[in-house]
Amino acid sequence: MKDIAVVGIGLIKWGELWEKSFRDMCVEAALACLEDAGTDRVDAVTIGTMTTGIFVGQEHLDSIIPDYLGRRLTPAIRVESACSSGGMAVRGAFVEVASGLSDFVLAIGVEKMTDISGAEATYALATAADQENEAFHGVTFPGLYAMMARAHMHRYGTSRDQLAQVAVKNHHNGSLNTYAQFPFEVTLDAVKRSTMVADPLRLLDCSPITDGAAAVLLAPVEEARKLGKKPLVKITGVGNATDTIALAHRHDLLRLEAVEMATQRALGMAGKKIEDIDFAEVHDCFTIAEIMVLEAMGVVEPGRGGPATAEGMTALDGSFPVNPSGGLKSKGHPVGATGVAQICEAVTQLRGEAEKRQIPGARSALTQNMGGSGASCVVHILEVES
Amino acid sequence: MKDIAVVGIGLIKWGELWEKSFRDMCVEAALACLEDAGTDRVDAVTIGTMTTGIFVGQEHLDSIIPDYLGRRLTPAIRVESACSSGGMAVRGAFVEVASGLSDFVLAIGVEKMTDISGAEATYALATAADQENEAFHGVTFPGLYAMMARAHMHRYGTSRDQLAQVAVKNHHNGSLNTYAQFPFEVTLDAVKRSTMVADPLRLLDCSPITDGAAAVLLAPVEEARKLGKKPLVKITGVGNATDTIALAHRHDLLRLEAVEMATQRALGMAGKKIEDIDFAEVHDCFTIAEIMVLEAMGVVEPGRGGPATAEGMTALDGSFPVNPSGGLKSKGHPVGATGVAQICEAVTQLRGEAEKRQIPGARSALTQNMGGSGASCVVHILEVES
């Protein structure tokens, strides 16, 4: 298989962007990406977005995005994988380059979530759950993750403080990221006193509703070299997997088997073990999610995610920094954009351009993006060339 | 690039399938496909569907479909390209195999359209148009195609009878296809007297609202040979392209440039000219669409689509048979399934298994699937091994 590099990354400041449409956000992120890459060559476009049909009444993204980018006739592919739609757009671009059909492939992730009410957005997001076995009965994602959190506390003794520590850490990192929706610190006490959403998860345990877009440009390494940029960041591993969509159908409520499998596949392709990875961007849609993902990826043993977080292992200066960008919690979670933005953060770190949140000497990164209650997952391994 | 074969096809009878959910339809089509292939090996799944979020309140298809197929942990990719979602699922499977990431890839197309009212379905379909420049102003797809039809009649003298002849031909073909939703003949007079939908298009100029699914299994040719099936049908060309989503933004209302470009790309990859192709399955969502697609693909000169149809060129016994399956018009148009079913028909014909609608000696086929008012298009070239 071809060696493939990330030759450009593009982000916009996320938030409640009422003055920007999803088209505007895509164009802005894409232009930033091409500017960063130093080329305007785009052979194909992949677009990751969860449910623009419900959020803004617009499907057919593979037509409208190239159109508004001024790239009529360009082949395009729109993928959907709930909250891992962005990661799947990057995977789609990777596969497109690997197949030989295209060389320069632009992956864009986008979601425009604040044009409808919070209740409508909750309905829209719940289309990622099993309609017949979950949503029909009234459960939404805070409720599903709350059940996992309660079970985790029961089986492993994970504490309220350990959950809160995920939010405290990620907000600290996010306070150093100018693109973040909520770039400020939160205290342990503030998390524990925030409004209850679904017991035991409180407002500051939950990622927010966000408008945002992100873009990356992939190309074969030999083409990337011609652009003359250094250092070169390669995607050396890609893995994805799916699990039962309904939480109740899992063998074990506390095992994210799609995450386990996707991680193993990506690491296997890269010829690496989890111990070889310097840091990770992971899918902390809720605080409990980051803890369970650490366990599923094999960073810690099952049940050790909470204590490891409390001990500082995953902090910027810990032995395995997690979510240096601020994660979904602080950076925001425009669902289709999140997985693409994770790649942007990994590349920024590996290039040594992360300024105050830079992880010194980072050479390899893992990004983990998942959909629903872990019913789908896509993992990428990135490495900087020596 | 690898040589890739279609090793299995699976269809179900389409119609208003109120007793079947979209999950049931996918499973039924997939099982038929694996039965036909003589293997149950599936390394990855691609799913094409337009807007299950609106039709049935369910996104996250890449999780739910492998789940209901009993294939937990299988990597899956859901693509959306409005009415060409099915074709893009096949293209996705092709790229997946070509990349080397997977060998046996199952492409499933599905749409469940009759669980909501006709008015709601019209709204759902209109999300494939430009929300801000088209749908907001009240235009829906019959209206957009009616404008194209009227312009075509004005510029080229295309007649009411020529439009109707597309429906008459496709219903004749569909009357020979047991999987068709409306497997009966219609007369020229019946088309011309049917209820007006959007002048000049009448009810029998329009493809119907349909529930349905279809599946194909792709694999590298060397793997396909091990299954010991003959004759072997290969996909030798793939092409896709996009155009402005809004009809009003086109350079020419009567040129389907995405269809032109996708066709040229697919033929170029196969090393063929349109004259080398024995028959085609094309996207006759409205009668005018088939006429304009014939022109865009270069089968006839611009303006000659109507007369050529009236002269019998595209009939089963014509020089270039089009839509031997009955097309969208008679076979039905479950939007996400249509592009996959086109491949099923092409393979059936190339294997010589099309019974009463068999095109004698067919060796090469083209399938053309498009979204919106031609704003996206995907074309495949299939050939049977000598």
Side-chain angles (χ1 to χ4, degrees), chain B residues 240-254:
Chain B
N240 65 318
T242 56
D243 202 344
T244 68
I245 189 162
L247 189 57
H249 294 166
R250 306 270 165 87
H251 297 145
D252 182 338
L253 197 66
L254 295 181

Side-chain angles (χ1 to χ4, degrees), chain B residues 60 93 124 292 376:
Chain B
H60 213 181
M292 288 178 63
S376 62

Side-chain angles (χ1 to χ4, degrees), chain A residues 165-207:
Chain A
Q165 190 56 43
V166 174
V168 171
K169 167 185 71 73
N170 288 349
H171 269 280
H172 170 70
N173 297 351
S175 74
L176 308 172
N177 184 352
T178 51
Y179 292 107
Q181 179 175 15
F182 296 122
F184 50 72
E185 306 257 4
V186 299
T187 64
L188 205 63
D189 204 45
V191 180
K192 287 157 64 182
R193 288 184 189 213
S194 61
T195 307
M196 183 65 80
V197 174
D199 187 27
L201 301 178
R202 292 171 179 271
L203 188 65
L204 291 180
D205 287 296
C206 308
S207 59

Side-chain angles (χ1 to χ4, degrees), chain A residues 23 51 57-60 62 67 72-74 78 80-81 91 96 127 129-131 242-243 245 251 376, chain B residues 23 51 57-60 62 67 72-74 78 80-81 91 96 127 129-131 242-243 245 376:
Chain A
R23 309 172 191 209
T51 183
Q58 182 72 65
E59 301 282 12
H60 213 180
D62 59 333
D67 183 7
R72 210 172 59 91
L73 303 180
T74 303
R78 180 250 174 128
E80 180 269 322
S81 179
R91 183 189 183 280
E96 194 74 20
T127 62
D130 186 326
Q131 285 306 298
T242 55
D243 203 344
I245 189 163
H251 298 145
S376 61
Chain B
R23 311 173 191 209
T51 185
Q58 181 73 63
E59 302 282 11
H60 213 181
D62 59 332
D67 182 7
R72 209 172 59 91
L73 303 180
T74 303
R78 181 250 172 129
E80 178 270 322
S81 179
R91 183 188 182 281
E96 195 73 21
T127 63
D130 186 326
Q131 286 305 298
T242 56
D243 202 344
I245 189 162
S376 62

Side-chain angles (χ1 to χ4, degrees), chain A residues 300-375:
Chain A
V300 295
E301 291 293 306
R304 284 286 306 155
T309 302
E311 292 156 12
M313 175 185 180
T314 56
L316 266 189
D317 60 356
S319 60
F320 189 77
V322 172
N323 283 327
S325 71
L328 287 56
K329 180 70 206 76
S330 165
K331 191 182 54 185
H333 184 27
V335 290
T338 286
V340 181
Q342 290 180 327
I343 302 287
C344 293
E345 177 68 12
V347 171
T348 302
Q349 291 282 351
L350 294 174
R351 285 180 181 170
E353 297 173 351
E355 303 181 343
K356 291 184 180 171
R357 64 181 194 284
Q358 180 66 45
I359 298 161
R363 311 286 304 161
S364 60
L366 180 153
T367 65
Q368 178 271 338
N369 186 204
M370 68 188 178
S373 51

Side-chain angles (χ1 to χ4, degrees), chain A residues 4-34:
Chain A
I4 295 170
V6 183
V7 299
I9 57 173
L11 277 172
I12 65 170
K13 165 92 175 162
W14 291 357
E16 287 189 71
L17 309 179
W18 293 349
E19 76 289 5
K20 292 179 186 174
S21 73
F22 78 95
R23 309 172 191 209
D24 300 328
M25 297 192 296
C26 286
V27 170
E28 206 181 316
L31 290 179
C33 178
L34 297 180

Side-chain angles (χ1 to χ4, degrees), chain A residues 217-258:
Chain A
L217 185 66
L218 305 193
V221 162
E222 64 270 26
E223 293 292 333
R225 286 197 205 291
K226 295 181 194 162
L227 296 175
K229 283 217 169 183
K230 287 191 174 184
L232 199 70
V233 177
K234 295 191 278 192
I235 297 181
T236 55
V238 177
N240 67 318
T242 55
D243 203 344
T244 67
I245 189 163
L247 189 57
H249 295 167
R250 306 270 165 86
H251 298 145
D252 182 339
L253 197 64
L254 295 181
R255 272 188 71 187
L256 297 173
E257 288 187 72

Side-chain angles (χ1 to χ4, degrees), chain B residues 162-239:
Chain B
Q162 288 165 0
L163 290 175
Q165 190 56 42
V166 174
V168 171
K169 167 185 70 76
N170 288 349
H171 269 280
H172 170 70
N173 297 350
S175 75
L176 307 172
N177 183 352
T178 51
Y179 291 107
Q181 178 175 15
F182 295 122
F184 49 72
E185 306 257 3
V186 298
T187 64
L188 205 63
D189 204 45
V191 180
K192 288 159 62 183
R193 287 186 189 210
S194 60
T195 307
M196 183 66 79
V197 174
D199 186 26
L201 301 177
R202 292 172 178 270
L203 188 66
L204 291 180
D205 287 295
C206 307
S207 59
I209 300 284
T210 311
D211 300 327
V216 299
L217 185 66
L218 305 193
V221 162
E222 63 269 27
E223 292 291 335
R225 286 199 207 291
K226 295 181 194 161
L227 297 174
K229 281 218 172 184
K230 286 192 176 183
L232 199 68
V233 177
K234 295 192 277 191
I235 296 182
T236 55
V238 177

